[in-house]
Amino acid sequence: MNILRFADLVAQGRVAGQRVFIRADLNVPLDDEGNITEDTRVRASIPCIEMALKAGAAVMVTSHLGRPTEGELKPEDSLAPVARRIAQLLGREVPLVENWVDGVEVQPGELVLLENCRVNKGEKKNSETLARKMAALCDIFVHDAFGTAHRAEASTYGIAQFAKIACAGPLLAAEIDAITKALANPKRPLVAIVAGSKVSTKLTILQSLAGKVDQLIVGGGIANTFLLAAGLPIGKSLAEPALVGEAKAVIAAMAARGAAVPIPSDVVTAKTFAADAPATVKAAADVAPDDLILDIGPRTAAQLAAQLKAAGTIVWNGPVGVFEFDAFAHGTETIARAIAASPAFSIAGGGDTLAAIAKYGIEGDIGYISTGGGAFLEVLEGKQLPAFEILEKRAAA
């Protein structure tokens, strides 16, 4: 992917004294008192900010937070907690600026955080007027927010159209490199794990991957629909019987290429959906009418783990069972530890996947952990993300 990178501009000495506008993803969860409960996105944004400051730029950073009403800044929508956290991480003051669209005072070596960009009227609809005003604030626009790369908004797309220079920050560049390595030039066999509650939300991803991967492991409610497609009983488990035809088509598309969708041979069931429900391991063919399938069984987990350890590239999106309940977490834990132990290049994304990675403490053993949920899924679907598209256009021009 031919995109101008901020790191290259820094290396060429083109950033000193310039006004740099960084669009970061600082959309972090807050508790009722306004404290950040999980700061991964803030910490992931620091390298780009430090790179700009060390290069002698006048640095402006903005992000969205939550879902504010355009034109109204409410206290709960303020980036004030984020400003405090960035100040702690950098060991310096980070002024927070409101009403910044018509002008910002910032000198080389200084850093300001611009208040929640989604409060600006026209942000979500990518208003050209707003985008041009943002572009006029800077000499260099740096897109470093992969979590918003699938949205064409004024602070992600429009500003990149009109800024003098538009480039990818280190976080966005790392995502591009990891995605390219995993999907465009994969070491084979390429194994994808796609799990979740519904086939309907991931159907286009499954169809797209069916033409690319060597093995497609399905989990969660999605696997139940594939069990139905294979003619197996699922009791009262979550599934989408209306999409059995689509599941069969995915299996057939894979089979036509000599590839496979492994169907669970054993499962873990319960009579109720509860953390303390007694768990029973049984053959997939023996699921009773009043059973709920809540995890893959140990034999299936061991078979999948062996396949993952022999993989060349692994793409992981979603836990394979109800891993929040310890009795139904063994399948996901086995898969997670197999990915961690595999010599394959692995890329993982999606909120539940990141929660599983954190639960089993394997962050250091995953090749690349994607920071974007929706953006990661759209890449798996084979879509061209707006952020990549505009940055490629600017690089070509």
Side-chain angles (χ1 to χ4, degrees), residues 24-42:
D25 182 5
L26 306 169
N27 185 29
V28 288
L30 304 173
D31 64 19
D32 292 341
E33 279 76 51
N35 301 304
I36 296 173
T37 56
E38 208 287 313
D39 72 345
T40 300
R41 285 177 170 166
V42 179

Side-chain angles (χ1 to χ4, degrees), residues 215-372:
Q215 286 166 339
L216 181 58
I217 295 170
V218 291
I222 292 173
N224 296 336
T225 303
F226 276 78
L227 284 164
L228 279 180
L232 289 160
I234 63 163
K236 56 180 185 177
S237 307
L238 176 70
E240 291 174 287
L243 292 177
V244 163
E246 279 82 352
K248 284 181 177 176
V250 168
I251 293 168
M254 293 284 288
R257 295 174 40 247
V261 182
I263 301 297
S265 58
D266 61 339
V267 293
V268 184
T269 65
K271 300 301 183 187
T272 58
F273 186 84
D276 59 353
T280 306
V281 176
K282 53 178 68 179
D286 297 338
V287 173
D290 62 342
D291 276 339
L292 286 168
I293 300 171
L294 300 182
D295 194 11
I296 56 174
R299 190 165 72 244
T300 299
Q303 287 165 344
L304 296 178
Q307 290 172 0
L308 291 165
K309 284 175 185 170
T313 307
I314 300 166
V315 177
W316 179 21
N317 176 250
V320 295
V322 186
F323 78 105
E324 298 89 345
F325 299 165
D326 287 343
F328 308 102
H330 301 301
T332 298
E333 181 172 6
T334 301
I335 295 288
R337 298 207 182 282
I339 295 169
S342 176
F345 171 72
S346 52
I347 178 170
D352 287 341
T353 313
L354 302 193
I357 288 169
K359 181 171 182 174
Y360 303 121
I362 57 168
E363 294 93 334
D365 300 309
I366 304 294
Y368 189 81
I369 297 174
S370 177
T371 55

Side-chain angles (χ1 to χ4, degrees), residues 175-249:
E175 294 273 0
I176 293 167
D177 293 341
I179 289 160
T180 302
K181 189 173 175 182
L183 294 174
N185 311 303
K187 185 181 174 195
R188 294 193 179 268
L190 168 57
V191 181
I193 302 159
V194 179
S197 55
K198 293 183 175 180
V199 170
S200 53
T201 58
K202 306 254 175 104
L203 181 62
T204 47
I205 295 163
L206 294 168
Q207 289 167 335
S208 174
L209 289 174
K212 296 174 187 161
V213 304
D214 301 302
Q215 286 166 339
L216 181 58
I217 295 170
V218 291
I222 292 173
N224 296 336
T225 303
F226 276 78
L227 284 164
L228 279 180
L232 289 160
I234 63 163
K236 56 180 185 177
S237 307
L238 176 70
E240 291 174 287
L243 292 177
V244 163
E246 279 82 352
K248 284 181 177 176

Side-chain angles (χ1 to χ4, degrees), residues 87-151:
Q88 287 171 346
L89 291 166
L90 291 177
R92 63 184 291 158
E93 271 189 56
V94 180
L96 182 62
V97 181
E98 291 182 33
N99 305 316
W100 47 268
V101 171
D102 292 313
V104 179
E105 279 294 319
V106 58
Q107 300 303 315
E110 290 180 354
L111 164 67
V112 294
L113 184 63
L114 309 179
E115 192 54 276
N116 196 331
C117 59
R118 283 227 179 122
V119 171
N120 298 321
K121 286 189 176 174
E123 165 66 15
K124 291 200 79 166
K125 290 190 174 168
N126 190 20
S127 150
E128 182 175 332
T129 305
L130 176 60
R132 284 186 180 277
K133 282 187 172 185
M134 288 183 185
L137 297 174
C138 64
D139 302 300
I140 301 169
F141 167 65
V142 184
H143 196 321
D144 204 39
F146 179 69
T148 69
H150 59 310
R151 303 186 189 280

